[in-house]
Amino acid sequence: MNWSIQLKNRHFQFSSLKEVLAKSSEEKTGDKLAGISAVSSLERMAAKVVLSEIQLKTFFENPVIPYETDEVTRVIYDDLNQTIYREIREWTVGELREYILSHQTGLQELSRISQGLTSEVISGVAKLMSSIDLVMASQKMRFQARCNTIIGEERRLAFRCQPNHPNDDPEGILYSLKEGLSYGSGDAVIGINPNIDTVESVSRLLHMTHEFMEKWKIPTQNCVLAHITTQIEALKKGVPISLMFQSLAGTQKGNEAFGLSKSLLDEGFELMKRYGTATGPNLMYFETGQGSEVSLDAHLGVDMQTLESRTYGFAKHWKPFMVNNVSGFIGPETLYDGRQMIRADLEDLFMGKMHGLPMGIAPTYTNHMYADQNDQEMAGMLTTLAGANFYMGVPGGDDVMLNYQDTSFHDDASLRELFGLRPLREFEKWLERMGIMENGKLTEIAGDLSIFD
Amino acid sequence: MKTLTEEVVEMVIKALEAQKSSSNEKREGPSLNIKFSEYSEIGVLNPRNRDSIVRAQAITPARIGIGRAGTRMRTSSYLRFRIDHAAAQDAVRKDVNEEILKQFNLPILKTIAADMDTYLMNLDAGRKLSDCSAEWLEKNIEKGNQVQILVCDGLSSSAVESNMPDLLPALIQGLKLKNITVAPPLFIKRSRVWVQDHVASIVNCDLIISLIGERPGLATAESLSAYMVYRPNEKTVEADRTVISNIHKGGLSPVEAGAYLSDLLAKMLISKCSGVQFSQKRYLETN
């Protein structure tokens, strides 16, 4: 298949859907590194024009990575609602954009067409959208999920308390956890990134957080972000887990590099239903982010944004409680600066919601990227405006184990105040009982970890 | 009579001159020396138990017990965070001070990464020597030694600057005491770990070790890693390399690291391998 177009007296030609998608992406270094991005600004626009004219069925009939060779493609296609797809297959991507933005289209309509859209189409339509387009469309969609508590309700914003320590010292982790809770952070999950990925060490941290939740009667969920195989082993030994974690990629090759397959995720999910401590039905926590396939050399010539969208199409299969987007975690070889990071965050939040997922955002930056705290805070405010379900909560914004910056306990509390949002329902009541919050505002004692002495 | 425009222009010129002269002038009055603690302090007002916060800050490097202004950070903790980020960014973007390289007579080689942007965005560019450097190496290096040491800026020039003065002499001395032959060390600008494979292919050594600046965190911008590989070839993968990280004043100290690395290299020379294969051999020997 190929397309050609005249723009400003220049001729442009594209010979595959993959090429149209890659060249119509907003500028990002990862696509350049992969050698697939547009070589001029006008070529980028030519690709966008071509993209706007392509019918949805063209995407459906030509997956960017073949069904036969890729498990991610298979999960996306097998889960698609054929009836809904047939209703909209004649639409062009340009028409889809206008349908999404129309005053007549709300959550009901978007949830319905979402079941008939392939991930490549969702990526494509985002490439025709500006920042305000993406925020307005994202605002229309909110998706709830329940583990022990319910995430995603109107006017509520949750946080994962991320109390990491460079050598997993339980006492050090506990202090950071107490500090986070005293700022109202931790209603999404208490989630520790372990430095040591062994069953013994991970089990110790799961027991510790579980016991702390029991002792203080905290309505939330615990999780240790080890590899899924480590968590499965721990679960089989009776270790208390309420939420199971895994990082995902948008190609089978990328997932293989993560040591992951559909059957492994199926196994983890089934075990969580049988042995997990949570009410459910949503028992999985996934992390994703633009660029992982590029850094794993598993992109197969597809652009970062489209692969991210495919990751959501894959993730959806296990009805997760949280999908956290961490674009910006890798470095300047994928997202160069604050501008590219903010754009990726807005695209990812929109694309995740178009897949019907309970999305959260981690606006992050590393120290070798051209981004700073100001960029991160802008990304945080914009995605809160766009209705993200949750953010991370890191002491002082500095993760001392993973060596990158993320939203701080202070940022969490500030985003709630700025937008008049409340913690998750049960957790808010707990904060009130603890005297940390009154009428949605932090009290004088907030920010003092020693209240848990 | 002057026009209004002329009058305005004259006023602006005068104002600019006044500004210039005042900035050149030596300031009168007492000079203030601002003292700023770079270590975290207890910022919580009236904590319920101050001892807990003292203990918490001693046991984790996380930024806790720092208090708040409304929901925002207090001024000093906000500034401290930005200072640490600034130091980390400088460590990535600044070149290693050439005085330090001269001090150790390190020849300066380059990769094909022509500038910082290319280096950061194109991972492969930092993995190959430039033609000119490869040619120089071919002509000038002593070949066939057991160990070749590389000093690489990697992602932190500060790591190289702060660790080399202690680490390099300790490492070389440690190797010489064991009668291991060491080629003169080289510095490679804008280099990544895999450049060691290219160098090894030219210098024909048994083991090559890269002392390379790590991606800086906020806690320290001076952390260095040592990557070692035994006779790399085109089939070499990550698992074939042995890595010792976290070398800096607050972690594995550079002097200790020098001694430790020379022991490790000696063992690898005997085992004739590195990476996972080397760890497995050692595990079998000790169990």
Side-chain angles (χ1 to χ4, degrees), chain A residues 98-118:
Chain A
E98 291 186 359
Y99 178 80
I100 292 169
L101 295 171
S102 158
H103 276 140
Q104 273 69 51
T105 307
L107 176 63
Q108 284 302 327
E109 291 77 15
L110 291 174
S111 303
R112 181 174 167 79
I113 61 161
S114 156
Q115 307 305 318
L117 296 173
T118 55

Side-chain angles (χ1 to χ4, degrees), chain A residues 29 32-33 164-166 169 171-173 175-176 179 183 295 329-333 336 365-374 376-377 395-398 400 402-405 408-414 417 434 442-453, chain B residues 43-74 77-78 81-82 84-86 88-90 92-93 116-117 119-124 155 192 214-220 223 246:
Chain A
T29 46
K32 265 194 211 164
L33 181 64
N164 299 344
H165 185 278
D169 182 315
E171 192 187 354
I173 288 173
Y175 280 126
S176 290
E179 173 110 348
Y183 279 92
S295 63
F329 183 74
I330 299 172
E333 69 272 28
Y336 182 69
Y365 61 106
T366 60
N367 293 322
H368 61 321
M369 241 173 103
Y370 290 74
D372 66 16
Q373 190 57 25
N374 295 316
Q376 188 205 41
E377 290 179 12
D398 167 18
V400 292
L402 297 170
N403 274 342
Y404 78 108
Q405 283 82 249
S408 62
F409 299 144
H410 296 75
D411 293 340
D412 291 356
S414 306
E417 273 201 19
M434 290 294 296
L442 291 177
T443 64
E444 280 298 300
I445 68 162
D448 177 6
L449 62 90
S450 70
I451 58 174
F452 291 98
D453 279 1
Chain B
V44 183
L45 299 173
N46 311 313
R48 194 166 292 174
N49 183 357
R50 196 180 165 81
D51 292 345
S52 284
I53 299 176
V54 172
R55 171 79 184 153
Q57 290 185 339
I59 207 147
T60 174
R63 291 166 200 259
I64 58 174
I66 57 178
R68 58 192 175 85
T71 58
R72 304 307 293 155
M73 279 199 196
R74 296 191 60 183
S77 41
Y78 170 67
F81 175 92
R82 294 296 305 269
D84 292 341
H85 182 237
Q89 288 206 306
D90 283 350
V92 175
R93 291 177 204 171
M116 189 44 98
D117 264 7
Y119 175 64
L120 288 177
M121 288 190 281
N122 180 356
L123 304 184
D124 284 337
L155 289 173
R192 295 190 184 264
E214 290 174 10
R215 184 178 110 183
L218 292 196
T220 176
S223 195
N246 205 27

Side-chain angles (χ1 to χ4, degrees), chain B residues 196 208-210 226-230 238-244 260-261 264 268 273-279 282:
Chain B
Q196 61 181 201
I208 188 158
I209 171 170
S210 301
Y227 282 81
M228 292 151 274
V229 63
Y230 186 84
E238 278 320 282
D240 295 327
R241 293 174 221 276
T242 296
V243 56
I244 301 298
Y260 179 68
L261 289 170
L264 206 57
M268 284 181 193
C273 61
S274 55
V276 174
Q277 212 189 339
F278 175 67
S279 318
R282 282 185 84 193

